[in-house]
Amino acid sequence: MLRSTLLAAARSGVVRAAVEAGPFEPLVQRFVAGTTVDAAIAAARTITTDRLVTVDHLGEDTTDRAQADALVAAYRSLLRRLGDEGLADRVEVSVKLSAFGQRLPRDGEKIALDSARQVCEAAAAVGTTVTVDMEDHTTTDATLTTVRDLRLDFPWVGAVLQSQLRRTEGDCRDLAGPGSRVRLCKGAYDEPESVAYRSAAEVDLSYVRCLKILMSGRGLPMVATHDPRLVAIARHLAQRYGRSVRDYELQMLYGVRPNAQTDLAARGLQVRVYLPYGTEWFGYFMRRLAERPANLAFFARSLMSR
Ligand code: FDA
């Protein structure tokens, strides 16, 4: 109920204006590296002493073509910087197709594909990779089609699948082929019962079934969860299917369980941190609040002390 309310608020202009004007900087800073490329590069440099990184230039639900083009330009300059700073072998980028105009009424999917293609070209030029985030279930088919199209030229493009969706075991089977990079997460969007598991236990069981498919397949599973039980199961399955620690990644969000991240890295595991930056932090921030009631309590205390 609380999660649904927060996720609905994430799409409200009124809540957005109130939150953006509020004194929430310390909490936002926990989850977002900063608003500038310099801030993202500095954070990436620190993290890459023991972990890998995927950088997300924040943005979603773009409403005009100019915004989509500006985002492509921002990714291109980010990628150039990663190359110049010698970070491209440890840092890739993540993109959201809605930020590239996927939902624009005219030619949205084509505009998003062309934009993502330009980002892939810039990534290839510096020798790194791109992973395409997954948004709500209304976009799953379009997003997977775009990933397939991109993979014709850039076979290393990563896909994201969400265990909360009932369809995802089938998608894992489709995407577990040689070289296929698949990031498996639980899913951050409020989805209807008709397409999604609604209880945490069902989402977790689905996650394990999906993990088995990916770990026994021939791609690179990217295990995106902070859930210690699922991390332990992933490590166990990797061993069972003869994968070395180089043959899969554990992935977590910037600011979430940082001690677990460094601890796993110290044990020799490949840990990648999802590092968002930029001014468009509202939707991302609200999803992080929705994931954990304790974040909300902190948020409420900040609100009352205004
Ligand atoms: P769960 O929510 O059960 O949390 C397990 C534990 O982790 C909690 O008990 C708590 O300790 C800690 N934790 C989790 N979230 C926290 C938070 N916000 N603040 C503080 N502690 C927290 N989703 C999506 O729909 N599309 C996508 O493309 C992506 N991409 C993505 C990339 C990466 C690298 C990660 C790690 C996650 C995503 N997600 C995502 C988000 C994902 O779907 C999910 O909402 C969150 O990871 C939370 O789920 P957990 O698996 O961590 O489990």
Side-chain angles (χ1 to χ4, degrees):
M1 171 68 181
L2 183 59
R3 178 173 184 255
S4 300
T5 308
L6 282 165
L7 291 175
R11 294 216 142 122
S12 151
V14 177
V15 177
R16 179 181 183 138
V19 170
E20 286 183 347
F24 309 121
E25 222 175 295
L27 190 51
V28 175
Q29 275 170 4
R30 172 175 167 195
F31 297 114
V32 176
T35 54
T36 62
V37 179
D38 285 342
I41 296 282
R45 188 171 288 294
T46 305
I47 294 167
T48 50
T49 52
D50 63 345
R51 286 154 288 166
L52 306 168
V53 168
T54 184
V55 182
D56 169 28
H57 183 105
L58 289 164
E60 53 199 271
D61 295 336
T62 287
T63 50
D64 64 60
R65 178 72 199 254
Q67 236 180 318
D69 292 344
L71 187 64
V72 172
Y75 268 106
R76 290 166 81 155
S77 77
L78 165 67
L79 283 156
R80 260 195 313 274
R81 278 290 297 278
L82 290 173
D84 292 348
E85 305 262 346
L87 289 168
D89 59 332
R90 297 182 67 75
V91 182
E92 65 141 29
V93 299
S94 287
V95 298
K96 277 192 179 51
L97 294 182
S98 78
F100 287 142
Q102 188 185 47
R103 289 197 174 98
L104 291 178
R106 254 188 87 183
D107 293 334
E109 285 171 25
K110 185 177 177 305
I111 292 168
L113 172 62
D114 290 346
S115 305
R117 196 185 292 284
Q118 292 179 57
V119 174
C120 289
E121 277 161 9
V126 298
T128 190
T129 53
V130 177
T131 299
V132 180
D133 285 353
M134 189 57 81
E135 299 174 71
D136 72 57
H137 80 278
T138 61
T139 62
T140 310
D141 281 322
T143 299
L144 292 180
T145 301
T146 301
V147 168
R148 268 183 220 108
D149 286 347
L150 292 170
R151 282 183 171 184
L152 296 175
D153 293 321
F154 310 102
W156 38 256
V157 167
V160 179
L161 296 175
Q162 299 152 320
S163 73
Q164 70 172 351
L165 295 187
R166 297 178 190 275
R167 61 177 284 165
T168 296
E169 271 179 83
D171 290 331
C172 286
R173 270 188 280 276
D174 290 347
L175 288 173
S180 172
R181 299 169 61 249
V182 179
R183 175 180 293 158
L184 179 65
C185 64
K186 290 188 185 180
Y189 297 83
D190 192 27
E191 304 286 17
E193 169 106 49
S194 53
V195 298
Y197 301 111
R198 300 279 300 173
S199 80
E202 281 180 309
V203 174
D204 290 358
L205 285 173
S206 165
Y207 198 103
V208 175
R209 290 193 300 273
C210 292
L211 263 184
K212 279 187 187 155
I213 297 167
L214 297 176
M215 286 289 185
S216 62
R218 301 184 58 203
L220 180 82
M222 303 187 282
V223 183
T225 180
H226 315 92
D227 187 329
R229 278 184 321 157
L230 292 179
V231 170
I233 291 170
R235 293 175 65 184
H236 174 77
L237 287 173
Q239 266 189 344
R240 185 202 285 179
Y241 292 111
R243 286 180 179 269
S244 79
V245 290
R246 299 289 121 201
D247 296 333
Y248 70 103
E249 290 182 7
L250 300 174
Q251 301 194 339
M252 297 193 188
L253 302 175
Y254 178 76
V256 179
R257 302 198 64 217
N259 294 339
Q261 294 179 17
T262 49
D263 188 47
L264 290 162
R267 290 164 196 253
L269 291 145
Q270 286 199 109
V271 179
R272 191 178 293 274
V273 180
Y274 185 102
L275 178 78
Y277 79 99
T279 53
E280 297 290 310
W281 46 260
F282 172 72
Y284 181 87
F285 174 69
M286 292 301 282
R287 287 194 293 280
R288 302 295 77 81
L289 286 189
E291 276 156 6
R292 197 161 178 251
N295 293 342
L296 189 67
F298 187 98
F299 182 74
R301 276 199 300 277
S302 319
L303 202 58
M304 282 185 291
S305 64
R306 282 173 84 177

PDB file of all heavy atoms in Angstrom, residues 193-208:
ATOM      1  N   GLU A 193      -1.496  -7.289 -10.662  1.00  0.00           N
ATOM      2  CA  GLU A 193      -1.497  -8.740 -10.415  1.00  0.00           C
ATOM      3  C   GLU A 193      -1.546  -9.557 -11.717  1.00  0.00           C
ATOM      4  O   GLU A 193      -0.983 -10.641 -11.808  1.00  0.00           O
ATOM      5  CB  GLU A 193      -2.750  -9.025  -9.563  1.00  0.00           C
ATOM      6  CG  GLU A 193      -3.099 -10.466  -9.391  1.00  0.00           C
ATOM      7  CD  GLU A 193      -2.761 -10.957  -7.997  1.00  0.00           C
ATOM      8  OE1 GLU A 193      -3.154 -10.253  -7.054  1.00  0.00           O
ATOM      9  OE2 GLU A 193      -2.136 -12.027  -7.895  1.00  0.00           O
ATOM     10  N   SER A 194      -2.221  -9.003 -12.739  1.00  0.00           N
ATOM     11  CA  SER A 194      -2.367  -9.752 -13.990  1.00  0.00           C
ATOM     12  C   SER A 194      -1.011 -10.061 -14.642  1.00  0.00           C
ATOM     13  O   SER A 194      -0.873 -11.064 -15.324  1.00  0.00           O
ATOM     14  CB  SER A 194      -3.237  -8.962 -14.975  1.00  0.00           C
ATOM     15  OG  SER A 194      -2.711  -7.667 -15.128  1.00  0.00           O
ATOM     16  N   VAL A 195      -0.019  -9.198 -14.413  1.00  0.00           N
ATOM     17  CA  VAL A 195       1.281  -9.434 -15.058  1.00  0.00           C
ATOM     18  C   VAL A 195       2.406  -9.699 -14.070  1.00  0.00           C
ATOM     19  O   VAL A 195       3.497 -10.104 -14.470  1.00  0.00           O
ATOM     20  CB  VAL A 195       1.698  -8.236 -15.962  1.00  0.00           C
ATOM     21  CG1 VAL A 195       0.711  -8.025 -17.095  1.00  0.00           C
ATOM     22  CG2 VAL A 195       1.882  -6.964 -15.140  1.00  0.00           C
ATOM     23  N   ALA A 196       2.134  -9.452 -12.772  1.00  0.00           N
ATOM     24  CA  ALA A 196       3.251  -9.503 -11.812  1.00  0.00           C
ATOM     25  C   ALA A 196       2.893 -10.270 -10.548  1.00  0.00           C
ATOM     26  O   ALA A 196       1.732 -10.335 -10.153  1.00  0.00           O
ATOM     27  CB  ALA A 196       3.646  -8.080 -11.432  1.00  0.00           C
ATOM     28  N   TYR A 197       3.923 -10.859  -9.921  1.00  0.00           N
ATOM     29  CA  TYR A 197       3.758 -11.420  -8.585  1.00  0.00           C
ATOM     30  C   TYR A 197       3.681 -10.248  -7.628  1.00  0.00           C
ATOM     31  O   TYR A 197       4.458  -9.302  -7.731  1.00  0.00           O
ATOM     32  CB  TYR A 197       4.947 -12.310  -8.234  1.00  0.00           C
ATOM     33  CG  TYR A 197       5.148 -13.451  -9.201  1.00  0.00           C
ATOM     34  CD1 TYR A 197       6.254 -13.479 -10.053  1.00  0.00           C
ATOM     35  CD2 TYR A 197       4.228 -14.487  -9.276  1.00  0.00           C
ATOM     36  CE1 TYR A 197       6.432 -14.525 -10.949  1.00  0.00           C
ATOM     37  CE2 TYR A 197       4.399 -15.530 -10.174  1.00  0.00           C
ATOM     38  CZ  TYR A 197       5.498 -15.541 -11.005  1.00  0.00           C
ATOM     39  OH  TYR A 197       5.671 -16.565 -11.898  1.00  0.00           O
ATOM     40  N   ARG A 198       2.761 -10.312  -6.673  1.00  0.00           N
ATOM     41  CA  ARG A 198       2.581  -9.173  -5.782  1.00  0.00           C
ATOM     42  C   ARG A 198       3.183  -9.407  -4.393  1.00  0.00           C
ATOM     43  O   ARG A 198       3.360  -8.467  -3.632  1.00  0.00           O
ATOM     44  CB  ARG A 198       1.083  -8.835  -5.652  1.00  0.00           C
ATOM     45  CG  ARG A 198       0.408  -8.462  -6.954  1.00  0.00           C
ATOM     46  CD  ARG A 198       0.651  -7.022  -7.360  1.00  0.00           C
ATOM     47  NE  ARG A 198       0.154  -6.089  -6.351  1.00  0.00           N
ATOM     48  CZ  ARG A 198       0.369  -4.779  -6.391  1.00  0.00           C
ATOM     49  NH1 ARG A 198       1.071  -4.249  -7.359  1.00  0.00           N
ATOM     50  NH2 ARG A 198      -0.113  -4.002  -5.452  1.00  0.00           N
ATOM     51  N   SER A 199       3.473 -10.659  -4.046  1.00  0.00           N
ATOM     52  CA  SER A 199       4.037 -10.868  -2.698  1.00  0.00           C
ATOM     53  C   SER A 199       5.559 -11.000  -2.821  1.00  0.00           C
ATOM     54  O   SER A 199       6.086 -11.519  -3.821  1.00  0.00           O
ATOM     55  CB  SER A 199       3.451 -12.117  -2.044  1.00  0.00           C
ATOM     56  OG  SER A 199       4.102 -13.277  -2.532  1.00  0.00           O
ATOM     57  N   ALA A 200       6.246 -10.529  -1.742  1.00  0.00           N
ATOM     58  CA  ALA A 200       7.720 -10.563  -1.746  1.00  0.00           C
ATOM     59  C   ALA A 200       8.212 -12.001  -1.918  1.00  0.00           C
ATOM     60  O   ALA A 200       9.196 -12.249  -2.634  1.00  0.00           O
ATOM     61  CB  ALA A 200       8.241  -9.962  -0.446  1.00  0.00           C
ATOM     62  N   ALA A 201       7.517 -12.958  -1.274  1.00  0.00           N
ATOM     63  CA  ALA A 201       7.979 -14.355  -1.344  1.00  0.00           C
ATOM     64  C   ALA A 201       7.918 -14.865  -2.782  1.00  0.00           C
ATOM     65  O   ALA A 201       8.837 -15.541  -3.253  1.00  0.00           O
ATOM     66  CB  ALA A 201       7.122 -15.222  -0.434  1.00  0.00           C
ATOM     67  N   GLU A 202       6.830 -14.529  -3.487  1.00  0.00           N
ATOM     68  CA  GLU A 202       6.707 -14.991  -4.884  1.00  0.00           C
ATOM     69  C   GLU A 202       7.765 -14.347  -5.777  1.00  0.00           C
ATOM     70  O   GLU A 202       8.324 -15.002  -6.670  1.00  0.00           O
ATOM     71  CB  GLU A 202       5.316 -14.636  -5.427  1.00  0.00           C
ATOM     72  CG  GLU A 202       4.218 -15.571  -4.967  1.00  0.00           C
ATOM     73  CD  GLU A 202       2.885 -15.141  -5.562  1.00  0.00           C
ATOM     74  OE1 GLU A 202       2.538 -13.946  -5.433  1.00  0.00           O
ATOM     75  OE2 GLU A 202       2.211 -15.977  -6.169  1.00  0.00           O
ATOM     76  N   VAL A 203       8.028 -13.059  -5.534  1.00  0.00           N
ATOM     77  CA  VAL A 203       9.048 -12.358  -6.340  1.00  0.00           C
ATOM     78  C   VAL A 203      10.423 -13.004  -6.110  1.00  0.00           C
ATOM     79  O   VAL A 203      11.195 -13.231  -7.049  1.00  0.00           O
ATOM     80  CB  VAL A 203       9.090 -10.849  -5.976  1.00  0.00           C
ATOM     81  CG1 VAL A 203      10.239 -10.141  -6.690  1.00  0.00           C
ATOM     82  CG2 VAL A 203       7.762 -10.176  -6.299  1.00  0.00           C
ATOM     83  N   ASP A 204      10.705 -13.364  -4.847  1.00  0.00           N
ATOM     84  CA  ASP A 204      11.991 -13.997  -4.522  1.00  0.00           C
ATOM     85  C   ASP A 204      12.102 -15.381  -5.157  1.00  0.00           C
ATOM     86  O   ASP A 204      13.155 -15.743  -5.696  1.00  0.00           O
ATOM     87  CB  ASP A 204      12.171 -14.114  -3.000  1.00  0.00           C
ATOM     88  CG  ASP A 204      12.377 -12.750  -2.350  1.00  0.00           C
ATOM     89  OD1 ASP A 204      12.412 -11.739  -3.074  1.00  0.00           O
ATOM     90  OD2 ASP A 204      12.497 -12.687  -1.110  1.00  0.00           O
ATOM     91  N   LEU A 205      11.012 -16.163  -5.089  1.00  0.00           N
ATOM     92  CA  LEU A 205      11.052 -17.507  -5.694  1.00  0.00           C
ATOM     93  C   LEU A 205      11.272 -17.405  -7.202  1.00  0.00           C
ATOM     94  O   LEU A 205      12.032 -18.173  -7.795  1.00  0.00           O
ATOM     95  CB  LEU A 205       9.744 -18.259  -5.399  1.00  0.00           C
ATOM     96  CG  LEU A 205       9.623 -18.775  -3.959  1.00  0.00           C
ATOM     97  CD1 LEU A 205       8.227 -19.343  -3.709  1.00  0.00           C
ATOM     98  CD2 LEU A 205      10.690 -19.840  -3.673  1.00  0.00           C
ATOM     99  N   SER A 206      10.596 -16.434  -7.809  1.00  0.00           N
ATOM    100  CA  SER A 206      10.778 -16.219  -9.243  1.00  0.00           C
ATOM    101  C   SER A 206      12.235 -15.832  -9.525  1.00  0.00           C
ATOM    102  O   SER A 206      12.836 -16.280 -10.509  1.00  0.00           O
ATOM    103  CB  SER A 206       9.821 -15.121  -9.727  1.00  0.00           C
ATOM    104  OG  SER A 206      10.197 -14.664 -10.992  1.00  0.00           O
ATOM    105  N   TYR A 207      12.806 -15.004  -8.629  1.00  0.00           N
ATOM    106  CA  TYR A 207      14.204 -14.575  -8.812  1.00  0.00           C
ATOM    107  C   TYR A 207      15.118 -15.803  -8.852  1.00  0.00           C
ATOM    108  O   TYR A 207      16.010 -15.912  -9.708  1.00  0.00           O
ATOM    109  CB  TYR A 207      14.616 -13.630  -7.672  1.00  0.00           C
ATOM    110  CG  TYR A 207      15.849 -12.796  -7.974  1.00  0.00           C
ATOM    111  CD1 TYR A 207      15.730 -11.449  -8.318  1.00  0.00           C
ATOM    112  CD2 TYR A 207      17.124 -13.343  -7.928  1.00  0.00           C
ATOM    113  CE1 TYR A 207      16.851 -10.683  -8.597  1.00  0.00           C
ATOM    114  CE2 TYR A 207      18.248 -12.587  -8.213  1.00  0.00           C
ATOM    115  CZ  TYR A 207      18.112 -11.249  -8.540  1.00  0.00           C
ATOM    116  OH  TYR A 207      19.232 -10.497  -8.828  1.00  0.00           O
ATOM    117  N   VAL A 208      14.874 -16.754  -7.937  1.00  0.00           N
ATOM    118  CA  VAL A 208      15.734 -17.953  -7.883  1.00  0.00           C
ATOM    119  C   VAL A 208      15.552 -18.786  -9.158  1.00  0.00           C
ATOM    120  O   VAL A 208      16.536 -19.264  -9.742  1.00  0.00           O
ATOM    121  CB  VAL A 208      15.423 -18.782  -6.615  1.00  0.00           C
ATOM    122  CG1 VAL A 208      16.227 -20.085  -6.623  1.00  0.00           C
ATOM    123  CG2 VAL A 208      15.745 -17.976  -5.363  1.00  0.00           C
TER     124      VAL A 208
END
